[in-house]
């Protein structure tokens, strides 16, 4: 699990944004209490909370990790997964938004948009096909009732 945390989210949330800021010649700006600062705090907090919660569920309920070399063995449809199919990715989107607000960086915001578009294509073309092979009708029923990135207002219950 630690390897999955270090390789996947760390690179997406820390390494790539650092490289983008470095290439853009970013200079640290003192944060001011503003709407963007409040938005940054909320985005970071909720995004980080979702990432940690889903990683814990991967290990406890799914018997795996987010890494492709250690996939879940059981379909997770509880907790945040009852509202959205990809809560970890939704959390990553929120942390990246928080970073773009913290650093007031359009380059990081564009990175977020590119990352969203890439994942919007990757999940239906690759990941979901693998989930259908592994979990069959159970996943198809789940997929038909729970949105990919934008959460439902009420939790879905397979019964």
């Amino acid at each position: 699990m630690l390897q999955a945390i270090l390789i996947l989210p760390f690179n997406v949330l820390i390494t790539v944004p650092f490289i983008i800021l470095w290439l853009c010649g970013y200079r640290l700006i003192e944060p001011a209490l503003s709407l963007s600062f409040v938005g940054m705090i909320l985005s970071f907090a909720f995004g980080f909370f979702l990432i940690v919660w889903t990683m814990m569920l991967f290990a406890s309920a799914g018997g795996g990790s987010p890494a492709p070399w250690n996939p879940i063995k059981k379909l997770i449809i509880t907790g945040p997964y009852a509202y959205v199919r990809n809560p970890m990715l939704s959390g990553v989107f929120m942390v990246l938004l928080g970073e773009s607000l913290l650093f007031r960086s359009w380059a990081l915001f564009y990175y977020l948009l590119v990352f969203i578009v890439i994942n919007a294509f990757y999940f239906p073309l690759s990941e979901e096909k693998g989930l259908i092979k592994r979990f069959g009708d159970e996943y198809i029923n789940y997929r038909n009732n729970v949105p990919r990135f934008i959460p439902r207002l009420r939790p879905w219950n397979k019964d």
Side-chain angles (χ1 to χ4, degrees):
M1 179 67 113
L2 182 60
Q3 187 180 24
I5 293 168
L6 291 176
I7 292 174
L8 301 172
F10 184 83
N11 284 328
V12 169
L13 297 173
I14 307 294
T15 307
V16 173
F18 175 80
I19 291 169
I20 290 170
L21 291 172
W22 180 71
L23 290 173
C24 292
Y26 178 80
R27 300 289 179 255
L28 189 60
I29 301 169
E30 229 177 274
L33 188 56
S34 66
L35 188 58
S36 69
F37 185 75
V38 172
M40 179 270 302
I41 295 291
L42 293 173
S43 187
F44 264 133
F46 193 67
F48 186 72
F49 173 74
L50 269 177
I51 292 168
V52 170
W53 190 6
T54 56
M55 286 208 172
M56 289 171 35
L57 282 172
F58 263 75
S60 65
S65 78
W69 58 84
N70 184 25
I72 59 170
K73 293 156 188 65
K74 182 180 175 210
L75 184 64
I76 306 168
I77 58 174
T78 61
Y81 288 93
Y83 293 89
V84 63
R85 288 197 316 262
N86 298 86
M88 181 180 297
L89 209 48
S90 297
V92 169
F93 295 161
M94 294 179 80
V95 171
L96 289 175
L97 176 62
E99 287 179 350
S100 69
L101 292 170
L102 171 66
F103 295 109
R104 298 179 190 163
S105 169
W106 282 106
L108 287 182
F109 183 73
Y110 296 143
Y111 167 58
L112 165 63
L113 294 180
V114 168
F115 189 73
I116 290 171
V117 168
I118 288 170
N119 280 286
F121 284 100
Y122 169 76
F123 274 90
L125 295 175
S126 178
E127 176 120 347
E128 290 185 354
K129 288 181 181 179
L131 290 168
I132 291 170
K133 283 181 186 174
R134 287 189 0 242
F135 301 111
D137 289 339
E138 183 183 15
Y139 180 76
I140 292 170
N141 185 32
Y142 174 69
R143 183 192 65 187
N144 292 340
N145 287 285
V146 179
R148 185 176 296 125
F149 298 125
I150 299 169
R152 298 167 47 103
L153 294 177
R154 294 193 175 135
W156 179 72
N157 186 341
K158 70 177 180 177
D159 301 326

